[in-house]
Amino acid sequence: MMVILGLLTSFLSFLYVIAPSIRKFFAGGVCRTDVQLPGKIVVITGANTGIGKETARELARRGARVYIACRDVLKGESAASEIRADTKNSQVLVRKLDLSDTKSIRAFAEGFLAEEKQLHILINNAGVMMCPYSKTADGFETHLGVNHLVHRPTLYPLSKTSQGSHSTLQSSLLALLAGHFLLTHLLLERLKESAPARVVNLSSVVHIAGKIRFHDLQGEKRYSRGFAYCHSKLANVLFTRQLAKKLQGTGVTTYSVHPGIVRSELVRHSFLMCLLWRLFSPFLKSAREGAQTSLHCALAEGLEPLSGKYFSDCKRAWVSPRARNNKTAERLWAVSCELLGIQWK
């Protein structure tokens, strides 16, 4: 027994000694550009908390006019008030955006386009993780609809609704993907008019475990809340890859980002993940550290040749073979457009 206690004490002492080095390692890269943004317009989804909030804070500090687009307007106003006080930038605005509802997305886009004649940076930051199976207001599985679509793509084969309009989504993957896909589509012309401009899509290293299951995009045949998140993050990488091809020659570039393992509210739907996050919190990134790669991709000079690429710790990173599959990216794009009932050539 004494031997076991001795070994345990030695191990804990060792962890205590190396903890600063471990913490520094997990802190990751830092956005080092000193680019300032007076007169620039930025939209960040889900910026009322976590990584999005810290991203908004830094862009406001650099002089940008920042739109916090979020579902909870009260939380958004609280975050905006804090950022305005901290940065002395009064141009931090809050607008309602529910990425699980295409009507809300269209209303946000319509309002923004009427309000602003330019858009220089769009950061698709909002997302959900480890949700129990559920569908958005438009019938998309929550992960896919919110994280990716928020519009109505079509499945293979198509299954028409009783009204004969759009097919319903069949996977949690679709809910996550839909929202940002539709939002980007609706704001793209304004981005092109404001070029040079950038689109940054938050993804994750867990895209490695993802797979685009076209026969069950909505997860109705088989659903795993963990894998649904992985699938949606793979879809984010593929969307960025295909979007870069569509944007060639327009002056608009796009990047997908792994922010790192961050202490945030993203894991709130999973008791186990909340427990693990609390246990390992000393080694996790802060929201400010998690925002660094998003800031790098939004601001760093000379990134244009890397449009469509995946970044982690403020540098280009490896992606899985599935994330490099051009045929899958093209098919997902077509399915997303069909499900959302839009044309995006």
Side-chain angles (χ1 to χ4, degrees):
M1 184 65 179
M2 294 300 295
V3 173
I4 294 175
L5 287 175
L7 290 173
L8 181 59
T9 301
S10 298
F11 178 69
L12 291 175
S13 298
F14 175 71
L15 279 182
Y16 179 80
V17 170
I18 67 171
S21 297
I22 296 175
R23 183 69 188 82
K24 184 177 180 180
F25 172 79
F26 279 107
V30 176
C31 176
R32 301 191 182 280
T33 179
D34 58 0
V35 169
Q36 299 299 304
L37 302 171
K40 302 298 184 181
I41 312 298
V42 179
V43 169
I44 310 176
T45 67
N48 59 306
T49 187
I51 296 170
K53 180 180 175 182
E54 294 308 314
T55 303
R57 189 193 306 274
E58 182 58 30
L59 296 178
R61 183 175 286 117
R62 293 170 185 253
R65 180 177 173 91
V66 179
Y67 281 82
I68 292 176
C70 59
R71 182 175 59 181
D72 191 326
V73 174
L74 289 179
K75 285 186 177 181
E77 290 291 356
S78 176
S81 178
E82 177 187 321
I83 293 171
R84 286 192 291 263
D86 183 33
T87 64
K88 306 299 186 290
N89 182 346
S90 62
Q91 299 301 299
V92 181
L93 309 171
V94 179
R95 297 293 181 268
K96 172 81 171 181
L97 173 64
D98 184 350
L99 284 168
S100 68
D101 185 347
T102 57
K103 291 182 179 179
S104 177
I105 297 169
R106 292 182 182 279
F108 168 82
E110 183 179 350
F112 176 82
L113 294 175
E115 195 170 357
E116 296 289 352
K117 300 306 178 186
Q118 290 186 308
L119 175 58
H120 302 95
I121 301 173
L122 169 62
I123 301 181
N124 290 318
N125 167 84
V128 294
M129 179 181 183
M130 304 287 283
C131 294
Y133 186 85
S134 60
K135 290 186 177 183
T136 68
D138 298 278
F140 304 129
E141 183 280 327
T142 302
H143 286 97
L144 187 61
V146 174
N147 294 350
H148 173 68
L149 291 173
V150 178
H151 52 291
R152 297 186 176 180
T154 56
L155 304 179
Y156 295 91
L158 290 178
S159 173
K160 297 295 184 179
T161 62
S162 57
Q163 286 76 24
S165 56
H166 302 292
S167 63
T168 57
L169 286 184
Q170 299 169 355
S171 123
S172 138
L173 170 62
L174 282 181
L176 278 175
L177 297 174
H180 287 133
F181 189 100
L182 180 59
L183 179 65
T184 304
H185 168 72
L186 295 173
L187 298 180
L188 193 58
E189 288 306 312
R190 191 56 40 94
L191 285 161
K192 290 178 180 179
E193 293 166 2
S194 310
R198 295 186 181 182
V199 179
V200 179
N201 298 314
L202 270 285
S203 182
S204 170
V205 69
V206 301
H207 80 271
I208 295 170
K211 185 177 181 180
I212 307 300
R213 302 169 65 240
F214 288 102
H215 65 287
D216 188 28
L217 279 179
Q218 294 266 49
E220 292 180 336
K221 296 179 181 179
R222 184 176 63 186
Y223 181 77
S224 162
R225 62 172 71 182
F227 278 112
Y229 181 71
C230 298
H231 300 334
S232 71
K233 296 294 100 178
L234 172 59
N236 292 147
V237 178
L238 291 168
F239 167 55
T240 303
R241 185 179 184 88
Q242 190 66 12
L243 179 62
K245 293 182 179 181
K246 302 286 185 181
L247 292 174
Q248 287 181 354
T250 66
V252 183
T253 53
T254 182
Y255 314 89
S256 58
V257 166
H258 168 53
I261 304 175
V262 181
R263 295 192 300 272
S264 73
E265 298 179 5
L266 191 62
V267 298
R268 62 187 178 275
H269 294 291
S270 169
F271 173 77
L272 177 60
M273 292 299 293
C274 286
L275 187 63
L276 290 173
W277 251 232
R278 186 177 296 274
L279 182 63
F280 291 101
S281 61
F283 304 111
L284 302 182
K285 285 186 178 183
S286 66
R288 182 176 180 277
E289 290 166 340
Q292 295 303 303
T293 306
S294 294
L295 291 167
H296 175 77
C297 288
L299 300 171
E301 298 164 301
L303 286 188
E304 288 77 10
L306 297 178
S307 182
K309 304 306 182 185
Y310 171 80
F311 285 74
S312 177
D313 286 333
C314 299
K315 59 182 182 294
R316 183 179 173 183
W318 179 87
V319 293
S320 70
R322 286 172 179 160
R324 299 193 298 269
N325 190 310
N326 290 328
K327 289 185 178 180
T328 301
E330 292 168 3
R331 185 178 178 187
L332 179 63
W333 185 282
V335 167
S336 298
C337 287
E338 193 174 355
L339 285 172
L340 293 171
I342 62 175
Q343 290 187 340
W344 191 348
K345 297 182 180 180

